[in-house]
Amino acid sequence: MSFRVTWDNLLDNVEELPADATLLTPLSQKPFHITNVQQHRVLIEYQADSDTVPLQREQFETLFERVADATGSFDLDRLPPGAEPYATVMSLHPRFTIDDRDGTLSESETPTPSPLVDAHTVEHDDGPREEPDIPVYADALLLIDALEQHDVTSLTELDVPTLVNLYTLLSDVQRNANDLRQKVRGVLLDRLHHDQPVSGQYGSVQRAVRRNRTLKDDEAVLELLEAEGIDPERVMSVDTSKLDDALEVTSLSESDVYEIEESEYVRKADVDEEMKETRLQGLKDQLAGADEDTTELQAEIEELEQRITELTSFDSGASFHTRSTGG
């Protein structure tokens, strides 16, 4: 198929997009909108910038030729700076496909939708509100209810049962949010191809590498050090497991060989799931029984969803504890 025919078909598909459709660049995942379609160019605006960016027909033709010359698929890493939107718009043509996991653009005989457009089209859902069937949602809803009933800015003024309820719910939200966070992270790792930040509505993430070290065979390491003139005894340390065994058969105490620092903390001992479910059902009934057509309630629901999102972004390192030192 010639580029002229491809270009005409591409413009037809671009013009059929909803006016509020949001597109993403394939590598950096930057959102943008198509603002105008002309015979020799397509005008776009990045979501974070109001400046209009023209995508020229000649550059589309160059990309078309690069894909044709590539064996199998064109690696999007080869795109020059600022050229990512060309690939996204090209994928609107039914015969051009972006693999956002492999980071490639290819031509196919089988028409396929673009994963960078369909999944990110802004739609206004006026249908009934559905409750997500995930543990963190239920716990977050209960936590919000508790936070609305009590002034947590003055924790010292709250009674013990209230503090216990708050701690239990905070713990459950933290655990379930972290479980969901790890699942989301697993999917993201398959989608991120570079170490550059990728932005969303509430923040940005980037692929990173954690470097872990595991010592090789002790004897092999000591032989290597000795061959370099290093006394192996200089790098040998006390084996704590063997030391604990030795303490059992000597008159030494634990404090004689260890520096001991104790810290007190609160541990969740039990959860009354039946009571949580009863209260949760009451909250659901209140939402279901209200008049969902009113503007005021819709605003409250949107605010609730926003607060749930904020609360489930929990810092896993946070805890309530006091510290004391003992010897």
Side-chain angles (χ1 to χ4, degrees):
M1 181 181 296
S2 68
F3 177 72
R4 182 183 61 79
V5 176
T6 299
W7 177 248
D8 291 340
N9 291 339
L10 177 61
L11 293 186
D12 290 341
N13 281 275
V14 171
E15 290 178 338
E16 291 177 0
L17 278 179
D20 57 356
T22 300
L23 293 80
L24 294 177
T25 56
L27 300 180
S28 59
Q29 300 285 294
K30 292 176 62 176
F32 66 93
H33 302 276
I34 294 177
T35 59
N36 197 0
V37 178
Q38 300 174 2
Q39 185 59 39
H40 296 289
R41 64 180 184 175
V42 175
L43 303 182
I44 69 168
E45 285 185 5
Y46 286 105
Q47 187 168 295
D49 192 352
S50 59
D51 293 338
T52 298
V53 179
L55 304 182
Q56 303 293 346
R57 181 185 187 278
E58 292 78 8
Q59 299 301 323
F60 280 104
E61 185 171 7
T62 299
L63 180 59
F64 173 84
E65 293 171 352
R66 294 279 184 87
V67 174
D69 294 340
T71 55
S73 58
F74 176 74
D75 191 343
L76 296 175
D77 279 333
R78 298 170 56 193
L79 288 171
E84 287 188 52
Y86 283 92
T88 300
V89 175
M90 182 68 82
S91 71
L92 296 176
H93 191 289
R95 294 185 59 179
F96 285 85
T97 303
I98 278 185
D99 189 323
D100 58 347
R101 296 192 178 187
D102 294 338
T104 59
L105 175 66
S106 58
E107 187 174 5
S108 171
E109 295 295 331
T110 304
T112 56
S114 171
L116 300 175
V117 180
D118 290 354
H120 301 281
T121 300
V122 177
E123 297 179 353
H124 300 288
D125 186 4
D126 297 326
R129 181 170 172 269
E130 296 184 2
E131 172 192 332
D133 186 20
I134 52 176
V136 69
Y137 176 86
D139 287 327
L141 190 59
L142 289 169
L143 178 59
I144 289 173
D145 178 57
L147 293 175
E148 289 179 342
Q149 294 184 48
H150 306 285
D151 182 8
V152 295
T153 61
S154 302
L155 291 173
T156 56
E157 298 180 7
L158 300 180
D159 58 27
V160 171
T162 298
L163 291 171
V164 170
N165 288 339
L166 286 172
Y167 189 86
T168 300
L169 292 173
L170 287 166
S171 177
D172 288 346
V173 168
Q174 179 183 8
R175 182 189 69 252
N176 292 324
N178 191 54
D179 289 344
L180 181 59
R181 181 182 66 87
Q182 292 182 16
K183 293 178 182 178
V184 172
R185 180 181 62 188
V187 175
L188 273 175
L189 283 174
D190 291 336
R191 305 288 180 87
L192 304 179
H193 308 287
H194 303 271
D195 59 359
Q196 57 184 319
V198 175
S199 299
Q201 183 179 0
Y202 299 113
S204 62
V205 298
Q206 67 184 107
R207 193 182 187 97
V209 176
R210 182 182 291 111
R211 186 170 179 265
N212 295 321
R213 298 193 310 171
T214 302
L215 192 65
K216 296 182 178 180
D217 179 71
D218 289 355
E219 184 176 349
V221 172
L222 293 176
E223 288 179 357
L224 290 171
L225 292 173
E226 189 171 9
E228 295 293 325
I230 305 237
D231 185 356
E233 292 186 0
R234 293 179 55 187
V235 296
M236 297 178 67
S237 60
V238 176
D239 188 326
T240 56
S241 62
K242 294 180 180 180
L243 179 59
D244 289 339
D245 292 338
L247 288 178
E248 297 291 335
V249 295
T250 67
S251 60
L252 295 174
S253 66
E254 187 182 28
S255 59
D256 288 332
V257 295
Y258 287 106
E259 292 291 342
I260 301 175
E261 181 176 309
E262 295 181 347
S263 61
E264 296 179 352
Y265 68 99
V266 176
R267 182 177 64 87
K268 185 180 65 176
D270 191 22
V271 178
D272 191 336
E273 296 291 350
E274 184 176 350
M275 179 58 70
K276 284 176 58 178
E277 182 60 33
T278 299
R279 179 57 183 163
L280 181 62
Q281 189 59 51
L283 293 172
K284 293 177 182 178
D285 291 343
Q286 290 179 25
L287 290 174
D291 181 8
E292 296 187 358
D293 293 331
T294 64
T295 303
E296 182 179 354
L297 178 62
Q298 192 63 36
E300 292 177 358
I301 291 176
E302 292 175 357
E303 181 182 2
L304 177 62
E305 292 174 338
Q306 173 66 20
R307 294 175 64 181
I308 288 174
T309 301
E310 294 172 353
L311 285 169
T312 52
S313 301
F314 223 75
D315 183 358
S316 60
S319 62
F320 295 98
H321 69 274
T322 60
R323 171 175 290 185
S324 64
T325 303

